[in-house]
Amino acid sequence: MVSTPTRTTAARPAAGGATSGNAAGGKTAGGKVQPPSASAPWKPRGTPAATVRAWGRGFWSALEGTGKSRNGSTYYLILGSTLALTAIGIMMVLSASSVEAIAAGESPYSAALKQGGFAAIGVFAMFVLSRVNVVWLRRFAWPVMFLAVALLGLVLLVGRSALGNQNWIDVGPFTFQPSEAAKLALALWMATVLARKEKLLHEWRHALIPVVVPGAAVVLGLILAGNDLGTAMIVMVIVAAALFFAGVRLAFFTISGAVLAVGTTILAVTSPNRMCRILSWTGQTCADGSDLNYQSTNGLYGLASGGWFGVGLGQSRQKYSWIPEAHNDFIFAIIGEELGLVGTLVVLVLFAILGAAIYRVVVAQHDVFHRVLAGSIMVWLLGQASVNMAVVTGLAPVIGVPLPFISYGGSALLMSLCAVGVVLSLARAQMDPGMQPKKMLKFGPAAFANSVRRARAARAARAAGKPAGQSAGRPAANPGRTPTRPAAHKPAATNPASKNRTKA
C-alpha cells in the first residue's frame, strides 16, 4: 500500500535521499511548500547583490518605518550629521588658525569667532527653511538667479583677488563669495525650469535650453573669468546632477561629458599655473623650478604623523606655516594630524550618513522639482567633499575647493546650511504628521497665505449668507462634509521622466 506523501516538520528530519531535497525548504511531491529542517538551515536564494539590496531595504525599513509609522529618522540623521560637522569645523578652525593669527598680531580666536557667527546665522536659516514649504521657493527661482549672475559680474568689477582667484566682494569687515550663493541659486532655478519642461526633456534642445545654454554657461563663464576652475568644476557637477535626476537620457551625458573633458583640458593646458600644478602632482618639476604641490606634500606629512589617534587637539606641527592657509582647503590634513585616523574616519562616516540620508529623501520624491533640487544639493555637498579629500590625500592635483561645513569661510558655510535646510523641509514632509517637528515661527509665508485664504473664505461666506465657520478656510464641524485641501498641498503626480531615465 502506497501512502500519500505528507508534510514533514522541522522536528522530524527527512529520511532517505528521496526527501533530502526538502530539507532546504523545497516542495513535497504533493506540491506543498515545506519549511526547512533543523539539520539543513535555509539559505536565501539569489545573487549577492540582491541579498545586499534586500538587507539594505530591511535595515532602512526597520530604521525609518513604513507608511504612517515613519519615525523621521532620515530628518534627524541629516540634522545631526550637519550639526556635528559644523561643530567639528568650528573647533578645527580654532586649532588651525590660531598660530597664524598670533603671528599676524591678531587674536587667536578671531577666525573661529567669525566662523561661529556665520554658523549661528546659517543654523537659524537652516531651521527657518526646514519649516517652509519648498513649493514657495519656486517663485523666487528667477529673481535669485538674476541676482547671482549680477553678483558674479560685480566680482569682476570691484571684487578682491587672492591667491590668483578673484572671488570675493568686501562688505564692511566681512567678505562675501558670490560663487557659493550661485550654487544654491542655480540648483533652485534648474529644478524650477526642468520641472516645467518635464514632458519635453527627451528632446535635446529642451534639455539644453535654457538650463545649459545660457543659464549654466553664463554662471560658468563668470566664474572662470575670475580664474576659479575648482568652483567651476563643482558647478558643472551640479548641472549634470540636475539633468540626471530630471530624467534626461544618458546618451546626452556621454556627449556632454566628452565636450566638457575637452574644454577642461584646454583650460588646463593654456594656463601655466594649472599645468605647473598638474606636473607637480605627477612628481615632475615646473619650468620655473617652483613646486605648487607643496601644500599637498605637507598635508600628507600631517596625515602620516597623526597615526591612529593623532598628536592631540591643538598640537599640530604642520600648521606652523608648513601648510599655508591650513584652516581653509587643507583643514582635513590638520584633522588627520591632531585627531589621527580615527578623527578622519569620524568625518568620513558623518559625510556618509549625510549622503545616505539625503539619498533617501531624493528617491522618495515623485515630483521633478523636489527630486532635482534635493539631488543637486546632495551631489554638490558630497562631490565637493570628495574633491577636497582627494586633493589633501594626493589623489588629485591641488584645486581650491573647501571642505563643506568644516573649512573656514562664512559664505560657503552659510550656503551649505541653507541647502541642508531645503532638504530638511522635504524630509519633514515625509514624516508622519503627528511626529513632524513643530513650526519654529508662528508667522511666515505659509501662515500668511493661510490667513489670507481664511479671510477670503470668510468674506465669501458672509456674501453667501453662510456662517463663517463653514467657509473653505475653516471647515465646519459637520461630519458629512469633507474639508477641501488647499491647492498648494495637493500630492504631486507621478513623474514619468524617472522611468525614462531608468530605461535609458
Side-chain angles (χ1 to χ4, degrees):
M1 179 177 179
V2 180
S3 60
T4 304
T6 56
R7 183 192 301 248
T8 59
T9 60
R12 184 182 300 172
T19 58
S20 60
N22 294 334
K27 294 183 178 180
T28 62
K32 297 182 179 180
V33 178
Q34 178 175 321
S37 64
S39 59
W42 178 82
K43 295 182 180 180
R45 296 181 180 180
T47 62
T51 304
V52 172
R53 286 195 298 268
W55 180 87
R57 286 192 295 266
F59 171 77
W60 278 107
S61 297
L63 183 66
E64 176 75 11
T66 56
K68 295 184 178 180
S69 64
R70 283 176 171 254
N71 52 26
S73 60
T74 299
Y75 176 92
Y76 293 107
L77 285 174
I78 297 174
L79 179 62
S81 58
T82 300
L83 294 179
L85 288 171
T86 304
I88 292 175
I90 297 174
M91 177 182 66
M92 295 311 302
V93 165
L94 173 62
S95 175
S97 64
S98 58
V99 173
E100 293 187 2
I102 293 174
E106 301 175 357
S107 170
Y109 305 102
S110 57
L113 289 176
K114 288 183 180 180
Q115 188 78 350
F118 279 105
I121 298 174
V123 169
F124 177 78
M126 178 182 69
F127 277 102
V128 170
L129 289 173
S130 68
R131 302 304 193 268
V132 174
N133 191 343
V134 177
V135 177
W136 274 85
L137 300 178
R138 300 182 67 164
R139 58 191 68 190
F140 301 105
W142 285 93
V144 298
M145 183 63 179
F146 284 123
L147 179 61
V149 172
L151 290 176
L152 289 174
L154 189 62
V155 169
L156 302 179
L157 299 177
V158 298
R160 180 172 59 87
S161 179
L163 301 176
N165 295 344
Q166 190 168 347
N167 292 345
W168 297 271
I169 297 178
D170 292 327
V171 183
F174 303 99
T175 58
F176 179 69
Q177 191 172 357
S179 58
E180 293 295 333
K183 297 175 183 177
L184 183 57
L186 184 62
L188 176 62
W189 177 77
M190 289 189 300
T192 303
V193 174
L194 291 172
R196 183 169 298 181
K197 303 179 68 173
E198 174 185 356
K199 298 181 180 180
L200 303 174
L201 294 179
H202 62 280
E203 300 181 16
W204 286 67
R205 58 190 181 93
H206 288 288
L208 283 172
I209 302 172
V211 172
V212 179
V213 180
V218 172
V219 174
L220 286 172
L222 293 174
I223 293 175
L224 290 174
N227 201 29
D228 191 357
L229 181 60
T231 302
M233 293 175 61
I234 300 301
V235 171
M236 293 178 191
V237 173
I238 295 174
V239 174
L243 294 173
F244 177 81
F245 287 109
V248 175
R249 297 184 181 276
L250 295 180
F252 175 83
F253 296 97
T254 304
I255 300 176
S256 301
V259 173
L260 290 177
V262 173
T264 305
T265 303
I266 294 175
L267 290 174
V269 172
T270 55
S271 173
N273 180 272
R274 294 171 186 146
M275 281 303 301
C276 186
R277 291 187 181 188
I278 296 174
L279 291 176
S280 299
W281 175 62
T282 58
Q284 304 179 40
T285 305
C286 299
D288 57 356
S290 60
D291 182 15
L292 295 183
N293 208 41
Y294 178 81
Q295 278 184 303
S296 182
T297 302
N298 285 279
L300 291 176
Y301 289 159
L303 292 172
S305 61
W308 284 94
F309 302 102
V311 297
L313 184 62
Q315 303 300 317
S316 170
R317 304 178 185 89
Q318 299 298 320
K319 66 183 180 183
Y320 284 84
S321 299
W322 290 102
I323 300 180
E325 301 288 332
H327 56 290
N328 285 334
D329 300 342
F330 274 76
I331 196 170
F332 189 70
I334 306 301
I335 295 176
E337 184 182 8
E338 294 188 349
L339 304 180
L341 179 63
V342 174
T344 58
L345 289 179
V346 168
V347 174
L348 287 173
V349 169
L350 287 175
F351 273 112
I353 293 174
L354 178 64
I358 297 179
Y359 177 76
R360 288 278 300 175
V361 176
V362 173
V363 298
Q365 304 303 321
H366 298 288
D367 184 74
V368 176
F369 173 75
H370 295 163
R371 186 171 65 248
V372 171
L373 183 57
S376 301
I377 292 173
M378 177 187 69
V379 174
W380 161 21
L381 297 177
L382 297 184
Q384 187 168 317
S386 301
V387 171
N388 178 274
M389 295 178 188
V391 169
V392 174
T393 55
L395 298 177
V398 177
I399 303 174
V401 175
L403 185 61
F405 308 108
I406 297 181
S407 292
Y408 176 74
S411 302
L413 178 61
L414 180 60
M415 292 299 107
S416 298
L417 289 173
C418 289
V420 172
V422 174
V423 179
L424 284 175
S425 177
L426 297 174
R428 179 174 172 269
Q430 297 176 5
M431 298 170 60
D432 179 62
M435 303 185 68
Q436 290 182 359
K438 302 302 180 183
K439 293 182 179 180
M440 185 177 62
L441 298 177
K442 184 177 180 180
F443 302 100
F448 177 75
N450 291 332
S451 62
V452 171
R453 190 180 298 112
R454 286 195 296 266
R456 290 178 179 175
R459 288 196 298 268
R462 285 195 298 269
K466 297 180 180 180
Q470 297 182 3
S471 61
R474 293 180 66 182
N478 183 8
R481 180 180 178 182
T482 303
T484 59
R485 175 180 293 182
H489 297 280
K490 288 185 178 180
T494 304
N495 173 31
S498 61
K499 298 182 180 180
N500 295 336
R501 176 178 61 80
T502 307
K503 295 179 180 179

